[in-house]
Amino acid sequence: MLGFGQSSDMARFAANTDNWALYYTQRIQAVIDGTWKSEDTWDGIGKGMVVLAPFANMPDDVKAMAEKTTADIGSGALQIFACPVLDQDGRDRCKPGDKTLPDGDILSMNWYIKGIDDKVPQ
């Protein structure tokens, strides 16, 4: 079974979860300290902001691939939105010269990538 945990490890309920506790702890501490301000947060695996539950209940080679992929995302060796990024119609959503899709474009995505056979809900 696949699952998605929000702000706590839900591995006991489903094999695939995440843990955002560090993010919430830092944001709440900023409120307590009087330093909180509204801002976009782009931290992720590399800065410990997103922590995946241990990979379990899978073959060793799949676990090794998942751990390497996670490490590569965290180090920046693997860019999830590396250009070109093609939409369903095959159009490159990157601007000329971009190496990755800009954060603002990711934040406002209202389209699916090539290979997704569905329509974006309106």
Side-chain angles (χ1 to χ4, degrees), residues 31-54:
V31 170
I32 292 168
D33 295 342
T35 60
W36 180 89
K37 61 182 178 184
S38 179
E39 61 187 2
D40 291 331
T41 300
W42 293 97
D43 294 341
I45 291 171
K47 293 188 178 179
M49 193 63 68
V50 176
V51 180
L52 301 178

Side-chain angles (χ1 to χ4, degrees), residues 40-43 78-85 93-95 98-113:
D40 291 331
T41 300
W42 293 97
D43 294 341
L78 175 60
Q79 293 292 323
I80 301 301
F81 292 101
C83 294
V85 177
R93 293 298 189 118
C94 296
K95 296 171 184 70
D98 282 350
K99 292 183 180 182
T100 61
L101 198 62
D103 291 344
D105 291 356
I106 295 168
L107 184 62
S108 65
M109 284 176 84
N110 63 353
W111 46 272
Y112 288 130
I113 62 167

